Amino acid sequence: MGSKVPALKWEWPAGRPVETKLLVQVRSISKASKGFLGIGASPSFADSLPDATDIVASVVAGPSALVGSTVSLRVPGAEVKSLVQDRFAALGLVSDNTICTCIAEAPTNNLADAQTWLRDKACAR
């Protein structure tokens, strides 16, 4: 099976175009731990995200070096409200595939249709 890819970092697009698009199958969606006494949720932390949610997904389409890998990502809850476990989604990456700036639920769970959607429409902000 695939290898583990280091965790991606979430950032809002800030006008940056997506460099790489991945089609992933969502494996798990869970609220992020706030740590001991909730200290990790403090807005004073630079990495603090509103309603932080952890996503783990398997890469099913994209650059061959990433296909078959598992990615993990912590995102603001509002960005992933429509994601469903075991369904397809797109991730838009920048900065040598280390930062995710776009997450979109695929409109289908048919692999061929989801790949077409990824190529033509996903993460096209």
Side-chain angles (χ1 to χ4, degrees):
M1 196 141 218
S3 61
K4 177 76 173 165
V5 172
L8 299 171
K9 182 177 178 190
W10 169 262
E11 291 181 7
W12 280 276
R16 296 175 287 185
V18 168
E19 297 166 3
T20 302
K21 292 192 269 186
L22 303 179
L23 183 66
V24 299
Q25 187 167 29
V26 177
R27 295 297 176 200
S28 69
I29 306 167
S30 59
K31 293 291 180 194
S33 170
K34 295 180 181 180
F36 182 69
L37 298 176
I39 212 159
S42 170
S44 63
F45 284 103
D47 288 334
S48 179
L49 295 171
D51 191 26
T53 303
D54 291 331
I55 306 297
V56 176
S58 300
V59 180
V60 295
S64 59
L66 297 176
V67 172
S69 298
T70 299
V71 294
S72 63
L73 177 63
R74 178 167 289 171
V75 298
E79 297 292 328
V80 294
K81 292 258 186 240
S82 64
L83 291 188
V84 177
Q85 186 171 332
D86 295 325
R87 293 198 45 101
F88 294 122
L91 301 180
L93 308 179
V94 298
S95 298
D96 292 325
N97 301 333
T98 60
I99 296 172
C100 180
T101 62
C102 172
I103 299 175
E105 177 191 16
T108 178
N109 213 36
N110 173 284
L111 180 57
D113 292 343
Q115 288 174 312
T116 299
W117 167 80
L118 177 75
R119 184 183 64 245
D120 297 340
K121 297 180 181 122
C123 291
R125 310 183 198 193

